[in-house]
Amino acid sequence: GQQLNQSPQSMFIQEGEDVSMNCTSSSIFNTWLWYKQEPGEGPVLLIALYKAGELTSNGRLTAQFGITRKDSFLNISASIPSDVGIYFCAGQLGGSQGNLIFGKGTKLSVKP
Amino acid sequence: EAGVAQSPRYKIIEKRQSVAFWCNPISGHATLYWYQQILGQGPKLLIQFQNNGVVDDSQLPKDRFSAERLKGVDSTLKIQPAKLEDSAVYLCASSLDLGVRPTGGGYTFGSGTRLTVV
């Protein structure tokens, strides 16, 4: 089946540092999404990207839809303790009626 | 607006027993999804409904899993009989229309039901 390769698998950073994570695939997606999941909760949408090359920000978060439509990255600037959680990328294939393909997640730990 | 409601939050059963999960999507959302999230993995789609019709159930293990959305609102996912490998979080999500659209935003997920099969 379709796969998204998400990296890194985990990150341990100091409060105030910037963070970068990415997803790549061999398939072309028409939509890229970034979600955050905290323990005991469902994923919460952070940013949605709909066009190749699109760069979108949401507060301290910035994400880009790769030109090839096969990759995306998420940056978090000036991390704070509440950024802790698991970040998932998800892609929707062209022609798909809604099935989102998820990466395996990046677990972020922030040391105060 | 109220979010996606799921119950129960936790369930522990023995293998070969049956179990059912319930989901109430956001009001007005036509599309409802059930995802399975195994520990350490991203969610994987099991079944997708548009109103009360099935859009995609290609990844649903139909020998043991079933789901219905009889009136196009609430949905129930059932496992019978359960296996050890069914231990996972079962997430329900809903969206205004089919999939993710710029005009409709993304999915909204519920908090999930954590199933442990022993």
Side-chain angles (χ1 to χ4, degrees):
Chain A
Q2 305 295 338
Q3 281 192 325
L4 289 183
N5 301 307
Q6 186 170 351
S7 64
Q9 188 174 351
S10 62
M11 302 182 74
F12 297 86
I13 63 169
Q14 198 77 30
E15 181 177 1
E17 289 184 354
D18 296 343
V19 171
S20 184
M21 58 191 78
N22 68 83
C23 269
T24 60
S25 174
S26 57
S27 301
I28 292 175
F29 290 92
N30 68 1
T31 304
W32 281 95
L33 304 162
W34 286 93
Y35 285 87
K36 178 186 179 186
Q37 188 173 29
E38 298 185 21
E41 298 298 327
V44 174
L45 182 65
L46 300 174
I47 292 180
L49 303 158
Y50 302 104
K51 295 180 183 177
E54 180 180 355
L55 184 70
T56 297
S57 293
N58 178 8
R60 294 178 296 105
L61 277 61
T62 302
Q64 184 159 31
F65 191 145
I67 291 290
T68 64
R69 297 169 64 191
K70 294 182 178 181
D71 64 311
S72 177
F73 73 74
L74 174 71
N75 289 340
I76 305 173
S77 63
S79 59
I80 58 178
S82 61
D83 290 334
V84 166
I86 302 177
Y87 292 78
F88 289 97
C89 62
Q92 178 173 269
L93 293 167
S96 164
Q97 298 192 85
N99 183 7
L100 289 182
I101 311 297
F102 280 81
K104 292 188 176 182
T106 295
K107 185 176 182 179
L108 179 64
S109 301
V110 180
K111 186 176 180 181
Chain B
E1 66 182 0
V4 176
Q6 289 189 247
S7 68
R9 287 299 308 270
Y10 306 94
K11 192 73 177 179
I12 301 174
I13 62 172
E14 294 182 350
K15 59 184 179 183
R16 290 188 290 275
Q17 284 187 326
S18 62
V19 64
F21 313 126
W22 174 82
C23 173
N24 186 11
I26 291 175
S27 178
H29 278 196
T31 310
L32 184 147
Y33 315 80
W34 283 101
Y35 278 77
Q36 179 192 58
Q37 186 176 21
I38 293 172
L39 186 65
Q41 304 286 326
K44 184 186 83 171
L45 181 70
L46 291 175
I47 189 168
Q48 176 184 348
F49 293 94
Q50 175 78 350
N51 297 311
N52 60 353
V54 175
V55 174
D56 183 353
D57 64 356
S58 58
Q59 299 185 91
L60 186 74
K62 298 181 186 63
D63 58 333
R64 298 183 301 105
F65 286 64
S66 64
E68 58 184 13
R69 193 184 184 200
L70 290 176
K71 297 183 179 178
V73 180
D74 294 6
S75 177
T76 303
L77 176 69
K78 297 179 181 177
I79 308 175
Q80 181 178 14
K83 293 185 175 181
L84 295 176
E85 59 260 36
D86 298 332
S87 294
V89 175
Y90 290 85
L91 293 163
C92 179
S94 69
S95 62
L96 273 172
D97 203 345
L98 279 173
V100 181
R101 302 284 185 266
T103 55
Y107 287 20
T108 301
F109 282 89
S111 296
T113 296
R114 180 175 295 279
L115 173 67
T116 302
V117 183
V118 297

Short mmCIF file of all heavy atoms in Angstrom, two decimals, chain A residues 30-87:
data_model
loop_
_atom_site.label_atom_id
_atom_site.label_comp_id
_atom_site.label_asym_id
_atom_site.label_seq_id
_atom_site.Cartn_x
_atom_site.Cartn_y
_atom_site.Cartn_z
N ASN A 30 -2.44 15.21 -3.62
CA ASN A 30 -3.05 16.49 -3.97
C ASN A 30 -3.29 17.36 -2.75
O ASN A 30 -3.67 18.53 -2.88
CB ASN A 30 -4.35 16.28 -4.75
CG ASN A 30 -5.46 15.67 -3.90
OD1 ASN A 30 -5.29 15.40 -2.72
ND2 ASN A 30 -6.61 15.46 -4.52
N THR A 31 -3.09 16.78 -1.57
CA THR A 31 -3.27 17.52 -0.32
C THR A 31 -2.30 16.95 0.71
O THR A 31 -2.14 15.73 0.80
CB THR A 31 -4.71 17.37 0.23
OG1 THR A 31 -5.63 17.81 -0.77
CG2 THR A 31 -4.90 18.20 1.49
N TRP A 32 -1.66 17.85 1.46
CA TRP A 32 -0.82 17.44 2.59
C TRP A 32 -1.39 18.09 3.84
O TRP A 32 -1.78 19.26 3.83
CB TRP A 32 0.62 17.91 2.41
CG TRP A 32 1.43 17.06 1.48
CD1 TRP A 32 1.64 17.29 0.15
CD2 TRP A 32 2.17 15.89 1.80
NE1 TRP A 32 2.46 16.31 -0.38
CE2 TRP A 32 2.80 15.44 0.61
CE3 TRP A 32 2.38 15.16 2.97
CZ2 TRP A 32 3.60 14.30 0.56
CZ3 TRP A 32 3.18 14.02 2.93
CH2 TRP A 32 3.79 13.61 1.73
N LEU A 33 -1.41 17.32 4.90
CA LEU A 33 -1.91 17.81 6.18
C LEU A 33 -0.91 17.50 7.28
O LEU A 33 -0.20 16.49 7.21
CB LEU A 33 -3.25 17.13 6.53
CG LEU A 33 -4.36 17.25 5.49
CD1 LEU A 33 -5.42 16.20 5.74
CD2 LEU A 33 -4.97 18.63 5.54
N TRP A 34 -0.86 18.36 8.27
CA TRP A 34 -0.05 18.10 9.46
C TRP A 34 -0.96 18.12 10.68
O TRP A 34 -1.73 19.05 10.88
CB TRP A 34 1.06 19.15 9.61
CG TRP A 34 2.16 18.92 8.62
CD1 TRP A 34 2.30 19.48 7.38
CD2 TRP A 34 3.29 18.06 8.80
NE1 TRP A 34 3.43 19.00 6.77
CE2 TRP A 34 4.07 18.14 7.61
CE3 TRP A 34 3.74 17.24 9.83
CZ2 TRP A 34 5.26 17.42 7.44
CZ3 TRP A 34 4.93 16.52 9.66
CH2 TRP A 34 5.67 16.62 8.48
N TYR A 35 -0.85 17.05 11.47
CA TYR A 35 -1.65 16.88 12.68
C TYR A 35 -0.74 16.77 13.89
O TYR A 35 0.40 16.31 13.80
CB TYR A 35 -2.50 15.61 12.61
CG TYR A 35 -3.70 15.66 11.72
CD1 TYR A 35 -3.62 15.35 10.36
CD2 TYR A 35 -4.96 16.00 12.24
CE1 TYR A 35 -4.74 15.39 9.55
CE2 TYR A 35 -6.08 16.04 11.42
CZ TYR A 35 -5.96 15.73 10.09
OH TYR A 35 -7.07 15.77 9.29
N LYS A 36 -1.29 17.14 15.06
CA LYS A 36 -0.62 16.91 16.33
C LYS A 36 -1.52 16.04 17.20
O LYS A 36 -2.74 16.28 17.26
CB LYS A 36 -0.34 18.23 17.06
CG LYS A 36 0.33 18.05 18.42
CD LYS A 36 0.47 19.37 19.15
CE LYS A 36 1.11 19.18 20.51
NZ LYS A 36 1.13 20.44 21.31
N GLN A 37 -0.93 15.04 17.84
CA GLN A 37 -1.70 14.17 18.70
C GLN A 37 -1.07 14.14 20.09
O GLN A 37 0.14 13.91 20.23
CB GLN A 37 -1.77 12.74 18.14
CG GLN A 37 -2.71 11.82 18.90
CD GLN A 37 -2.88 10.48 18.21
OE1 GLN A 37 -2.00 10.00 17.51
NE2 GLN A 37 -4.04 9.85 18.39
N GLU A 38 -1.88 14.39 21.10
CA GLU A 38 -1.45 14.31 22.48
C GLU A 38 -2.00 13.03 23.10
O GLU A 38 -2.99 12.47 22.60
CB GLU A 38 -1.87 15.56 23.23
CG GLU A 38 -1.24 16.82 22.65
CD GLU A 38 -1.56 18.07 23.45
OE1 GLU A 38 -1.91 17.97 24.64
OE2 GLU A 38 -1.44 19.17 22.88
N PRO A 39 -1.38 12.57 24.17
CA PRO A 39 -1.80 11.29 24.77
C PRO A 39 -3.30 11.25 25.09
O PRO A 39 -3.84 12.18 25.69
CB PRO A 39 -0.96 11.23 26.06
CG PRO A 39 0.25 12.02 25.74
CD PRO A 39 -0.22 13.15 24.86
N GLY A 40 -3.94 10.18 24.66
CA GLY A 40 -5.36 10.00 24.97
C GLY A 40 -6.31 10.82 24.14
O GLY A 40 -7.51 10.84 24.41
N GLU A 41 -5.78 11.49 23.11
CA GLU A 41 -6.62 12.33 22.27
C GLU A 41 -6.47 11.94 20.81
O GLU A 41 -5.51 11.26 20.42
CB GLU A 41 -6.25 13.80 22.44
CG GLU A 41 -6.46 14.33 23.86
CD GLU A 41 -7.91 14.26 24.31
OE1 GLU A 41 -8.80 14.42 23.45
OE2 GLU A 41 -8.15 14.04 25.52
N GLY A 42 -7.42 12.37 20.00
CA GLY A 42 -7.29 12.16 18.57
C GLY A 42 -6.40 13.22 17.94
O GLY A 42 -6.10 14.24 18.57
N PRO A 43 -5.96 13.00 16.72
CA PRO A 43 -5.14 14.01 16.03
C PRO A 43 -5.91 15.31 15.83
O PRO A 43 -7.11 15.28 15.53
CB PRO A 43 -4.83 13.34 14.68
CG PRO A 43 -5.07 11.89 14.88
CD PRO A 43 -6.16 11.80 15.89
N VAL A 44 -5.21 16.42 15.97
CA VAL A 44 -5.78 17.74 15.76
C VAL A 44 -5.08 18.39 14.58
O VAL A 44 -3.85 18.43 14.53
CB VAL A 44 -5.63 18.61 17.02
CG1 VAL A 44 -6.11 20.03 16.74
CG2 VAL A 44 -6.40 18.01 18.19
N LEU A 45 -5.86 18.89 13.63
CA LEU A 45 -5.29 19.49 12.43
C LEU A 45 -4.55 20.78 12.76
O LEU A 45 -5.08 21.67 13.42
CB LEU A 45 -6.39 19.77 11.41
CG LEU A 45 -5.94 20.36 10.08
CD1 LEU A 45 -5.06 19.36 9.32
CD2 LEU A 45 -7.14 20.77 9.23
N LEU A 46 -3.31 20.88 12.26
CA LEU A 46 -2.50 22.08 12.44
C LEU A 46 -2.50 22.94 11.17
O LEU A 46 -2.73 24.14 11.22
CB LEU A 46 -1.04 21.70 12.79
CG LEU A 46 -0.83 20.88 14.06
CD1 LEU A 46 0.62 20.46 14.16
CD2 LEU A 46 -1.26 21.68 15.28
N ILE A 47 -2.16 22.31 10.07
CA ILE A 47 -2.04 23.03 8.80
C ILE A 47 -2.48 22.10 7.67
O ILE A 47 -2.16 20.92 7.67
CB ILE A 47 -0.57 23.48 8.56
CG1 ILE A 47 -0.17 24.57 9.57
CG2 ILE A 47 -0.39 24.00 7.13
CD1 ILE A 47 1.26 25.05 9.40
N ALA A 48 -3.19 22.68 6.69
CA ALA A 48 -3.58 21.96 5.48
C ALA A 48 -2.98 22.67 4.27
O ALA A 48 -3.02 23.90 4.19
CB ALA A 48 -5.11 21.91 5.36
N LEU A 49 -2.44 21.91 3.35
CA LEU A 49 -1.79 22.43 2.15
C LEU A 49 -2.46 21.83 0.93
O LEU A 49 -2.60 20.61 0.84
CB LEU A 49 -0.29 22.08 2.17
CG LEU A 49 0.48 22.56 3.39
CD1 LEU A 49 1.75 21.74 3.58
CD2 LEU A 49 0.83 24.04 3.24
N TYR A 50 -2.83 22.68 -0.03
CA TYR A 50 -3.63 22.21 -1.16
C TYR A 50 -2.95 22.37 -2.51
O TYR A 50 -3.46 21.82 -3.51
CB TYR A 50 -4.97 22.94 -1.18
CG TYR A 50 -5.78 22.78 0.08
CD1 TYR A 50 -5.87 23.81 1.01
CD2 TYR A 50 -6.43 21.59 0.37
CE1 TYR A 50 -6.61 23.67 2.18
CE2 TYR A 50 -7.17 21.43 1.54
CZ TYR A 50 -7.26 22.48 2.44
OH TYR A 50 -7.99 22.33 3.59
N LYS A 51 -1.86 23.13 -2.58
CA LYS A 51 -1.22 23.38 -3.87
C LYS A 51 0.28 23.14 -3.78
O LYS A 51 0.92 23.52 -2.79
CB LYS A 51 -1.44 24.82 -4.32
CG LYS A 51 -2.87 25.20 -4.60
CD LYS A 51 -2.95 26.67 -5.04
CE LYS A 51 -4.39 27.10 -5.25
NZ LYS A 51 -4.48 28.54 -5.61
N ALA A 52 0.84 22.56 -4.84
CA ALA A 52 2.29 22.35 -4.89
C ALA A 52 3.00 23.68 -4.73
O ALA A 52 2.63 24.67 -5.35
CB ALA A 52 2.67 21.70 -6.22
N GLY A 53 4.02 23.69 -3.87
CA GLY A 53 4.77 24.90 -3.61
C GLY A 53 4.18 25.80 -2.53
O GLY A 53 4.83 26.73 -2.07
N GLU A 54 2.98 25.50 -2.10
CA GLU A 54 2.30 26.34 -1.11
C GLU A 54 3.06 26.35 0.21
O GLU A 54 3.51 25.31 0.69
CB GLU A 54 0.88 25.81 -0.88
CG GLU A 54 0.06 26.61 0.12
CD GLU A 54 -1.35 26.03 0.30
OE1 GLU A 54 -1.69 25.08 -0.43
OE2 GLU A 54 -2.08 26.52 1.17
N LEU A 55 3.21 27.54 0.77
CA LEU A 55 3.85 27.72 2.08
C LEU A 55 2.83 28.38 2.99
O LEU A 55 2.32 29.45 2.67
CB LEU A 55 5.10 28.61 1.95
CG LEU A 55 5.94 28.83 3.20
CD1 LEU A 55 6.67 27.55 3.60
CD2 LEU A 55 6.94 29.97 2.97
N THR A 56 2.51 27.73 4.09
CA THR A 56 1.45 28.22 4.98
C THR A 56 1.94 28.27 6.41
O THR A 56 2.63 27.35 6.86
CB THR A 56 0.22 27.32 4.88
OG1 THR A 56 -0.29 27.36 3.55
CG2 THR A 56 -0.89 27.78 5.83
N SER A 57 1.56 29.32 7.11
CA SER A 57 1.95 29.47 8.52
C SER A 57 0.72 29.48 9.41
O SER A 57 -0.36 29.92 9.01
CB SER A 57 2.73 30.76 8.73
OG SER A 57 3.98 30.69 8.07
N ASN A 58 0.92 29.00 10.62
CA ASN A 58 -0.12 29.02 11.65
C ASN A 58 0.60 29.33 12.96
O ASN A 58 1.09 28.43 13.63
CB ASN A 58 -0.84 27.67 11.71
CG ASN A 58 -1.90 27.63 12.80
OD1 ASN A 58 -2.20 28.66 13.42
ND2 ASN A 58 -2.46 26.46 13.03
N GLY A 59 0.71 30.60 13.29
CA GLY A 59 1.47 30.99 14.48
C GLY A 59 2.94 30.68 14.31
O GLY A 59 3.58 31.13 13.35
N ARG A 60 3.48 29.87 15.21
CA ARG A 60 4.90 29.51 15.13
C ARG A 60 5.15 28.33 14.18
O ARG A 60 6.28 27.89 14.02
CB ARG A 60 5.41 29.17 16.54
CG ARG A 60 5.42 30.36 17.51
CD ARG A 60 5.89 29.96 18.91
NE ARG A 60 4.97 29.03 19.53
CZ ARG A 60 5.22 27.73 19.66
NH1 ARG A 60 6.35 27.21 19.23
NH2 ARG A 60 4.32 26.95 20.24
N LEU A 61 4.11 27.82 13.58
CA LEU A 61 4.23 26.67 12.69
C LEU A 61 4.24 27.13 11.23
O LEU A 61 3.45 28.00 10.85
CB LEU A 61 3.06 25.70 12.89
CG LEU A 61 3.15 24.71 14.03
CD1 LEU A 61 3.25 25.39 15.38
CD2 LEU A 61 1.95 23.78 14.01
N THR A 62 5.11 26.53 10.44
CA THR A 62 5.15 26.78 9.00
C THR A 62 5.29 25.44 8.30
O THR A 62 6.09 24.60 8.70
CB THR A 62 6.35 27.67 8.63
OG1 THR A 62 6.26 28.90 9.33
CG2 THR A 62 6.36 27.95 7.12
N ALA A 63 4.50 25.25 7.25
CA ALA A 63 4.57 24.01 6.49
C ALA A 63 4.58 24.33 5.00
O ALA A 63 4.05 25.34 4.57
CB ALA A 63 3.38 23.10 6.83
N GLN A 64 5.21 23.45 4.23
CA GLN A 64 5.26 23.64 2.79
C GLN A 64 4.90 22.35 2.06
O GLN A 64 5.24 21.25 2.50
CB GLN A 64 6.64 24.11 2.33
CG GLN A 64 6.69 24.41 0.83
CD GLN A 64 7.82 25.33 0.43
OE1 GLN A 64 8.87 25.34 1.05
NE2 GLN A 64 7.59 26.11 -0.61
N PHE A 65 4.19 22.52 0.97
CA PHE A 65 3.81 21.45 0.05
C PHE A 65 4.89 21.41 -1.02
O PHE A 65 5.08 22.37 -1.75
CB PHE A 65 2.45 21.82 -0.56
CG PHE A 65 1.75 20.74 -1.32
CD1 PHE A 65 0.36 20.68 -1.28
CD2 PHE A 65 2.41 19.82 -2.10
CE1 PHE A 65 -0.34 19.72 -2.01
CE2 PHE A 65 1.74 18.85 -2.81
CZ PHE A 65 0.36 18.80 -2.77
N GLY A 66 5.62 20.30 -1.12
CA GLY A 66 6.74 20.23 -2.05
C GLY A 66 6.33 20.39 -3.50
O GLY A 66 5.21 20.00 -3.89
N ILE A 67 7.23 20.94 -4.29
CA ILE A 67 6.98 21.19 -5.71
C ILE A 67 6.66 19.91 -6.46
O ILE A 67 5.82 19.88 -7.36
CB ILE A 67 8.19 21.88 -6.36
CG1 ILE A 67 8.33 23.30 -5.83
CG2 ILE A 67 8.07 21.91 -7.88
CD1 ILE A 67 7.24 24.24 -6.30
N THR A 68 7.32 18.83 -6.09
CA THR A 68 7.09 17.54 -6.76
C THR A 68 5.79 16.88 -6.32
O THR A 68 5.38 15.87 -6.89
CB THR A 68 8.24 16.56 -6.47
OG1 THR A 68 8.24 16.27 -5.06
CG2 THR A 68 9.58 17.15 -6.89
N ARG A 69 5.16 17.43 -5.28
CA ARG A 69 3.92 16.91 -4.68
C ARG A 69 4.15 15.58 -3.98
O ARG A 69 3.20 14.87 -3.63
CB ARG A 69 2.81 16.77 -5.72
CG ARG A 69 2.41 18.12 -6.31
CD ARG A 69 1.51 17.98 -7.51
NE ARG A 69 0.24 17.37 -7.17
CZ ARG A 69 -0.64 16.94 -8.08
NH1 ARG A 69 -0.37 17.04 -9.35
NH2 ARG A 69 -1.78 16.40 -7.69
N LYS A 70 5.43 15.24 -3.75
CA LYS A 70 5.75 13.98 -3.09
C LYS A 70 6.34 14.20 -1.69
O LYS A 70 6.78 13.25 -1.05
CB LYS A 70 6.74 13.17 -3.92
CG LYS A 70 6.19 12.71 -5.25
CD LYS A 70 7.23 11.89 -6.00
CE LYS A 70 6.69 11.38 -7.32
NZ LYS A 70 7.70 10.55 -8.04
N ASP A 71 6.38 15.45 -1.24
CA ASP A 71 6.96 15.69 0.07
C ASP A 71 6.42 16.96 0.71
O ASP A 71 5.83 17.82 0.04
CB ASP A 71 8.49 15.77 -0.03
CG ASP A 71 8.93 16.94 -0.88
OD1 ASP A 71 8.40 17.11 -2.00
OD2 ASP A 71 9.79 17.71 -0.42
N SER A 72 6.61 17.05 2.02
CA SER A 72 6.18 18.22 2.77
C SER A 72 7.04 18.32 4.03
O SER A 72 7.55 17.32 4.52
CB SER A 72 4.70 18.08 3.16
OG SER A 72 4.28 19.17 3.95
N PHE A 73 7.21 19.55 4.51
CA PHE A 73 7.91 19.72 5.78
C PHE A 73 7.11 20.60 6.71
O PHE A 73 6.26 21.40 6.28
CB PHE A 73 9.33 20.27 5.57
CG PHE A 73 9.38 21.73 5.18
CD1 PHE A 73 9.12 22.76 6.09
CD2 PHE A 73 9.70 22.10 3.87
CE1 PHE A 73 9.18 24.09 5.72
CE2 PHE A 73 9.76 23.43 3.49
CZ PHE A 73 9.49 24.42 4.41
N LEU A 74 7.39 20.45 8.00
CA LEU A 74 6.80 21.28 9.05
C LEU A 74 7.91 21.83 9.91
O LEU A 74 8.78 21.09 10.36
CB LEU A 74 5.84 20.45 9.92
CG LEU A 74 5.25 21.18 11.14
CD1 LEU A 74 4.24 22.23 10.69
CD2 LEU A 74 4.59 20.19 12.09
N ASN A 75 7.90 23.14 10.11
CA ASN A 75 8.84 23.79 11.02
C ASN A 75 8.08 24.39 12.19
O ASN A 75 7.00 24.96 12.02
CB ASN A 75 9.60 24.91 10.30
CG ASN A 75 10.60 24.38 9.30
OD1 ASN A 75 11.01 23.22 9.37
ND2 ASN A 75 10.99 25.21 8.36
N ILE A 76 8.67 24.26 13.36
CA ILE A 76 8.15 24.92 14.56
C ILE A 76 9.25 25.83 15.08
O ILE A 76 10.38 25.39 15.32
CB ILE A 76 7.78 23.90 15.66
CG1 ILE A 76 6.81 22.86 15.13
CG2 ILE A 76 7.17 24.63 16.87
CD1 ILE A 76 6.51 21.72 16.11
N SER A 77 8.94 27.10 15.22
CA SER A 77 9.95 28.04 15.68
C SER A 77 9.78 28.30 17.18
O SER A 77 8.67 28.25 17.71
CB SER A 77 9.86 29.36 14.92
OG SER A 77 8.62 29.97 15.15
N ALA A 78 10.90 28.55 17.83
CA ALA A 78 10.91 28.92 19.26
C ALA A 78 10.02 27.99 20.08
O ALA A 78 9.02 28.42 20.66
CB ALA A 78 10.48 30.38 19.43
N SER A 79 10.37 26.72 20.12
CA SER A 79 9.53 25.72 20.77
C SER A 79 9.28 26.03 22.24
O SER A 79 10.12 26.63 22.92
CB SER A 79 10.18 24.34 20.64
OG SER A 79 11.47 24.35 21.23
N ILE A 80 8.11 25.61 22.70
CA ILE A 80 7.70 25.78 24.10
C ILE A 80 7.26 24.42 24.63
O ILE A 80 6.97 23.51 23.84
CB ILE A 80 6.58 26.82 24.23
CG1 ILE A 80 5.37 26.43 23.39
CG2 ILE A 80 7.09 28.20 23.83
CD1 ILE A 80 4.19 27.39 23.52
N PRO A 81 7.21 24.25 25.95
CA PRO A 81 6.86 22.94 26.51
C PRO A 81 5.54 22.35 26.00
O PRO A 81 5.41 21.14 25.84
CB PRO A 81 6.82 23.21 28.02
CG PRO A 81 7.82 24.30 28.21
CD PRO A 81 7.67 25.18 27.01
N SER A 82 4.56 23.20 25.71
CA SER A 82 3.27 22.67 25.25
C SER A 82 3.31 22.17 23.81
O SER A 82 2.32 21.62 23.31
CB SER A 82 2.18 23.74 25.39
OG SER A 82 2.48 24.86 24.60
N ASP A 83 4.44 22.30 23.15
CA ASP A 83 4.59 21.72 21.80
C ASP A 83 4.80 20.21 21.86
O ASP A 83 4.76 19.54 20.83
CB ASP A 83 5.77 22.34 21.06
CG ASP A 83 5.52 23.79 20.66
OD1 ASP A 83 4.35 24.18 20.50
OD2 ASP A 83 6.51 24.54 20.52
N VAL A 84 5.00 19.68 23.05
CA VAL A 84 5.22 18.24 23.21
C VAL A 84 4.05 17.46 22.66
O VAL A 84 2.89 17.80 22.88
CB VAL A 84 5.42 17.90 24.71
CG1 VAL A 84 5.30 16.41 24.95
CG2 VAL A 84 6.77 18.42 25.20
N GLY A 85 4.35 16.39 21.92
CA GLY A 85 3.32 15.55 21.35
C GLY A 85 3.88 14.78 20.17
O GLY A 85 5.08 14.80 19.92
N ILE A 86 2.99 14.11 19.46
CA ILE A 86 3.40 13.39 18.25
C ILE A 86 2.81 14.12 17.05
O ILE A 86 1.60 14.38 17.00
CB ILE A 86 2.92 11.92 18.28
CG1 ILE A 86 3.48 11.21 19.51
CG2 ILE A 86 3.36 11.21 17.01
CD1 ILE A 86 3.02 9.78 19.66
N TYR A 87 3.66 14.44 16.11
CA TYR A 87 3.25 15.16 14.91
C TYR A 87 3.18 14.17 13.74
O TYR A 87 4.12 13.42 13.49
CB TYR A 87 4.23 16.29 14.60
CG TYR A 87 4.18 17.39 15.63
CD1 TYR A 87 4.81 17.25 16.86
CD2 TYR A 87 3.46 18.56 15.38
CE1 TYR A 87 4.73 18.25 17.83
CE2 TYR A 87 3.39 19.57 16.33
CZ TYR A 87 4.02 19.40 17.56
OH TYR A 87 3.94 20.39 18.51
#
